[in-house]
Amino acid sequence: MKVAIFENDGEKSQKVGKELYQKLTDAHIVIDNSHPEIVITVGGDGTLLSAFKHYQDNLENIRFVGVHTGHLGFYTDWRDDEISDLVTSLQSDNKQSINYPLLDVKVDYFDAESEKFLALNESTLKRINNTMVTDVYIGDQLFEKFRGDGLCISTPTGSTAYNKSVGGAVIHPELESLQMAEIASINNRVFRTLSSPVIVASNDWITLKPTQSSDFVFSIDQEIYHNRQIKAIKYKIAKEHICFAKYRHNNFWKRVNEAFIGSDYAD
Ligand code: NAP
């Protein structure tokens, strides 16, 4: 088994990364950051997002494992004081894994070029200085004309991130679906949107056709793109998945409770 270690720049993550490197070497596990079968991230959910971007061209061969060095995350199953247990689990690995959906994003530009992206959490389209106006299609049907600050299209695992902050629903990560949440829509006698998040099934897709403008802020997870001449963006569930090595069971709703409510939760 070939393992990569992907840590963030934080002092604690660097320290834990070194400890992990030593323990893996002692256990005769090969460290290979170029062609890994397992990628262990050390940091937070943001670190896992960075690792996903780094290795996204090789997703079919990789399983991810997240070690958190701060608070409990949604992509991080292991605490930093559990790395000996993690190494033991790696030694008895029998390819246990769990897959989660990703967002396929295709952007068409006015110059006829197009570009494809994969998102783990979400993609957003926003306009900061003026109202964003865009036609929203579900499948091939025009659904509404949106006016407001922007729209956030998220995966189930991304539903606890930016989506939740803008009023989207928390979705169990095993549901193959994508969600569109509004960011400050304008609703009055003249302009009307649904005003609630929309969750579409895996065989559906969402297309945004904004009015021509170049001052959009378009994002894919941590990446932000400015001033693109966007003609249309098509969102669907990707054929690719992210795969996590599953050495232990973590109840999703327990994690949601711990992250956002903090009360005792019986597993
Ligand atoms: P950041 O601004 O440094 O961190 C944003 C926060 O979102 C961090 O606490 C991060 O957790 C958490 N997070 C990331 N993915 C999550 C998930 N799937 N479920 C629950 N929480 C999650 O940005 P970043 O670390 O580069 O991460 C980029 C992500 O931040 C974006 O994809 C977006 O979802 C999120 N974001 C949220 C808001 C908001 O809620 N208003 C605004 C901008 C961006 P860790 O501390 O464990 O890394």
Side-chain angles (χ1 to χ4, degrees), residues 122 152 154 158-170 179-181 197:
E122 78 285 288
C152 169
S154 59
S159 70
T160 46
Y162 189 58
N163 167 73
K164 183 173 178 302
S165 299
V166 296
V170 172
Q179 175 168 194
M180 179 179 74

Side-chain angles (χ1 to χ4, degrees), residues 91-128:
Q91 285 175 303
S92 55
D93 176 69
N94 62 6
K95 308 261 190 255
Q96 311 95 311
S97 65
I98 186 150
N99 293 334
Y100 295 134
L102 297 169
L103 190 61
D104 178 301
V105 185
K106 179 168 174 277
V107 185
D108 293 330
Y109 299 107
F110 274 104
D111 63 4
E113 292 286 316
S114 62
E115 201 171 1
K116 288 196 83 165
F117 302 88
L118 269 186
L120 174 54
N121 267 354
E122 78 285 288
S123 169
T124 64
L125 186 68
K126 295 191 255 191
R127 204 166 165 215
I128 306 299

Side-chain angles (χ1 to χ4, degrees), residues 5-59:
I5 303 174
F6 191 102
E7 69 266 80
N8 69 23
D9 293 337
E11 203 178 317
K12 190 167 182 194
S13 301
Q14 291 286 317
K15 184 168 167 278
V16 173
K18 283 197 181 72
E19 275 172 41
L20 180 59
Y21 182 93
Q22 192 56 53
K23 285 191 176 6
L24 290 171
T25 310
D26 292 347
H28 307 290
I29 292 174
V30 178
I31 314 280
D32 182 342
N33 286 344
S34 303
H35 302 99
E37 293 154 276
I38 301 254
V39 173
I40 305 178
T41 65
V42 183
D45 286 332
T47 316
L48 196 296
L49 286 173
S50 305
F52 165 76
K53 180 165 170 39
H54 186 82
Y55 289 107
Q56 66 172 286
D57 292 336
N58 200 17
L59 288 179

Side-chain angles (χ1 to χ4, degrees), residues 11-261:
E11 203 178 317
K12 190 167 182 194
S13 301
Q14 291 286 317
K15 184 168 167 278
V16 173
K18 283 197 181 72
E19 275 172 41
L20 180 59
Y21 182 93
Q22 192 56 53
K23 285 191 176 6
L24 290 171
T25 310
D26 292 347
H28 307 290
I29 292 174
V30 178
I31 314 280
D32 182 342
N33 286 344
S34 303
H35 302 99
E37 293 154 276
I38 301 254
V39 173
I40 305 178
T41 65
V42 183
D45 286 332
T47 316
L48 196 296
L49 286 173
S50 305
F52 165 76
K53 180 165 170 39
H54 186 82
Y55 289 107
Q56 66 172 286
D57 292 336
N58 200 17
L59 288 179
E60 69 274 21
N61 300 316
I62 289 177
R63 286 175 295 151
F64 289 86
V65 177
V67 176
H68 63 87
T69 51
H71 56 90
L72 176 70
F74 281 87
Y75 296 120
T76 52
D77 286 335
W78 297 80
R79 293 196 313 263
D80 52 24
D81 57 2
E82 295 177 314
I83 53 176
S84 297
D85 296 344
L86 172 57
V87 173
T88 306
S89 296
L90 288 167
Q91 285 175 303
S92 55
D93 176 69
N94 62 6
K95 308 261 190 255
Q96 311 95 311
S97 65
I98 186 150
N99 293 334
Y100 295 134
L102 297 169
L103 190 61
D104 178 301
V105 185
K106 179 168 174 277
V107 185
D108 293 330
Y109 299 107
F110 274 104
D111 63 4
E113 292 286 316
S114 62
E115 201 171 1
K116 288 196 83 165
F117 302 88
L118 269 186
L120 174 54
N121 267 354
E122 78 285 288
S123 169
T124 64
L125 186 68
K126 295 191 255 191
R127 204 166 165 215
I128 306 299
N129 294 330
N130 295 292
T131 301
M132 182 177 100
V133 184
T134 180
D135 286 336
V136 178
Y137 290 75
I138 300 182
D140 288 328
Q141 287 297 317
L142 177 62
F143 181 69
E144 64 183 10
K145 188 178 277 294
F146 174 90
R147 287 180 176 81
D149 282 2
L151 289 163
C152 169
I153 288 81
S154 59
T155 63
T157 55
S159 70
T160 46
Y162 189 58
N163 167 73
K164 183 173 178 302
S165 299
V166 296
V170 172
I171 310 266
H172 194 284
E174 285 173 39
L175 288 175
E176 293 264 334
S177 59
L178 58 91
Q179 175 168 194
M180 179 179 74
E182 298 183 348
I183 308 168
S185 59
I186 300 175
N187 270 289
N188 53 35
R189 288 187 187 194
V190 185
F191 304 132
R192 189 139 311 283
T193 66
L194 185 66
S195 289
S196 83
V198 170
I199 298 164
V200 303
S202 58
N203 56 354
D204 242 328
W205 61 95
I206 292 173
T207 308
L208 307 183
K209 292 187 182 171
T211 52
Q212 190 162 7
S213 158
S214 60
D215 58 349
F216 295 118
V217 181
F218 167 66
S219 77
I220 298 284
D221 295 334
Q222 300 166 320
E223 302 293 313
I224 314 283
Y225 304 91
H226 295 269
N227 302 325
R228 303 251 171 145
Q229 297 283 341
I230 294 172
K231 186 175 168 193
I233 311 178
K234 183 174 178 183
Y235 295 103
K236 60 179 184 180
I237 299 283
K239 62 180 184 336
E240 300 88 345
H241 285 80
I242 184 166
C243 190
F244 287 88
K246 193 163 175 61
Y247 299 129
R248 48 167 59 166
H249 171 72
N250 276 311
N251 181 305
F252 175 71
W253 296 113
K254 180 171 192 285
R255 199 181 294 219
V256 171
N257 176 286
E258 282 171 2
F260 298 115
I261 300 171

